[in-house]
Amino acid sequence: MKHLERETAMLTNIFDTHAHYDDEAFHEDRAEVLGTTLPEGGVVRVVDCAVDLLSSVRVLDLAHEYDYVYAALGIHPEQAGEERKGDLDMIAELLAKEDKAVAVGEIGLDYYWEENAPRDTQVDLFSRQLALSKDLGLPVIIHDREAHGDTMECLQKYRPAGVLHCFSGSVEMMKEATKLGMYIGLGGVVTFKNARKSVEVAAEVPLDKLVLETDAPYMAPVPYRGKRNNSTYIAEVAKKIAEVRGMDPQELIDICNENGKRLFQMAD
Ligand code: NI
């Protein structure tokens, strides 16, 4: 085990393309996590994702405070029912004027939770944010839970640039999405025991379309499953995907870092 731990510590150049560091799970030690734990754990870039207007402002604050943190601004499907008039206009204004706002996200469709807004409300909000991304020339970060059919329909219609985060579809859907130019985000799920579909996708996704992510504080990979996630744990995700593909974990991380920079139009 000692040897494995050392290997993990040696992995660097980690780009976490999806996290939520404004979440209350980080209230007690956010400065330590973002100021010390991540930089010392090999993390060089994070895209922090908002879920509504208020969180968009918080996420931007973090992006201003930490050089390596970037912001995605948008309204999450679970928040679709709480959208107030003008919220999206204000988010659009922030996206247009803030250099560190690199994507419209987290947006999408979530048909899993019964208490979520009705499907047509979600599709309407998703469509407006897809149109906004086209207007602004920014990529989207998409959440698709139990909504593969409608998600693909919206992608066909709007043809955005972007990523399907925490991808849970089949290999066939992955092929369809990457053909449309979408990136595929994979995280902790690939390390779970029951993750057959995700592992198949990890094995087959074109290497130039794969990005790594945490969805921190959620979705911690094995052996941290159930604990609070953070971007350094991407090492475990990279090791698993590299093993499946028969490649070196650091090489995989380096390729995914370049993919992320291309996806979010980052210069260096
Ligand atoms: Ni998320």
Side-chain angles (χ1 to χ4, degrees):
M1 278 321 280
K2 266 271 163 301
H3 177 62
L4 267 181
E5 276 166 28
R6 190 140 30 87
E7 257 181 26
T8 303
M10 278 164 51
L11 291 172
T12 183
N13 203 28
I14 293 169
F15 185 168
D16 184 355
T17 58
H18 192 115
H20 300 277
Y21 285 108
D22 75 309
D23 191 278
E24 63 185 5
F26 294 101
H27 276 355
E28 295 216 333
D29 59 351
R30 184 173 293 108
E32 193 191 330
V33 171
L34 287 170
T36 309
T37 313
L38 268 50
E40 286 184 359
V43 179
V44 296
R45 264 190 194 78
V46 172
V47 173
D48 208 49
C49 299
V51 297
D52 58 15
L53 175 59
L54 198 65
S55 121
S56 291
V57 173
R58 287 199 304 256
V59 162
L60 265 178
D61 281 345
L62 293 177
H64 290 148
E65 195 171 343
Y66 300 96
D67 267 2
Y68 71 97
V69 175
Y70 295 80
L73 313 183
I75 305 176
H76 192 285
E78 282 176 46
Q79 258 62 45
E82 275 117 71
E83 183 196 7
R84 291 160 308 173
K85 203 172 176 317
D87 280 2
L88 198 53
D89 292 334
M90 289 180 75
I91 288 173
E93 252 177 65
L94 292 171
L95 281 164
K97 76 166 190 212
E98 294 281 352
D99 286 345
K100 292 203 79 183
V102 294
V104 182
E106 170 174 2
I107 67 174
L109 302 171
D110 191 316
Y111 297 166
Y112 179 77
W113 300 104
E114 247 174 61
E115 59 268 37
N116 283 354
R119 293 180 180 200
D120 55 345
T121 306
Q122 291 192 41
V123 170
D124 172 66
L125 173 61
F126 186 32
S127 300
R128 282 183 284 128
Q129 295 187 96
L130 287 168
L132 176 63
S133 85
K134 301 289 280 192
D135 286 348
L136 295 169
L138 290 173
V140 289
I141 296 175
I142 296 178
H143 170 109
D144 156 26
R145 192 164 186 197
E146 312 270 321
H148 299 331
D150 285 357
T151 298
M152 285 309 296
E153 211 171 285
C154 289
L155 288 185
Q156 299 277 5
K157 188 170 167 195
Y158 289 93
R159 303 285 178 125
V163 55
L164 286 165
H165 120 80
C166 196
F167 184 77
S168 58
S170 61
V171 167
E172 289 68 35
M173 181 180 168
M174 176 275 288
K175 285 180 178 166
E176 244 182 278
T178 52
K179 231 178 263 167
L180 289 170
M182 293 297 289
Y183 287 74
I184 301 296
L186 293 178
V189 173
V190 297
T191 68
F192 296 175
K193 258 205 184 112
N194 54 354
R196 190 182 52 84
K197 225 171 23 166
S198 289
V199 171
E200 282 172 15
V201 169
E204 300 222 15
V205 60
L207 253 191
D208 63 343
K209 291 295 181 198
L210 173 64
V211 291
L212 303 175
E213 61 169 56
T214 54
D215 208 13
Y218 313 104
M219 296 289 190
V222 173
Y224 311 106
R225 189 171 182 179
K227 295 189 178 145
R228 186 182 72 171
N229 203 356
N230 77 68
S231 308
T232 66
Y233 294 170
I234 278 184
E236 301 302 324
V237 175
K239 282 194 283 185
K240 175 66 186 190
I241 298 175
E243 179 197 315
V244 167
R245 299 186 71 111
M247 59 189 289
D248 172 62
Q250 187 61 60
E251 187 193 357
L252 180 84
I253 286 175
D254 292 342
I255 291 170
C256 291
N257 187 322
E258 290 304 316
N259 293 344
K261 290 196 311 198
R262 195 164 60 247
L263 161 62
F264 295 113
Q265 307 165 0
M266 291 169 174
D268 53 6

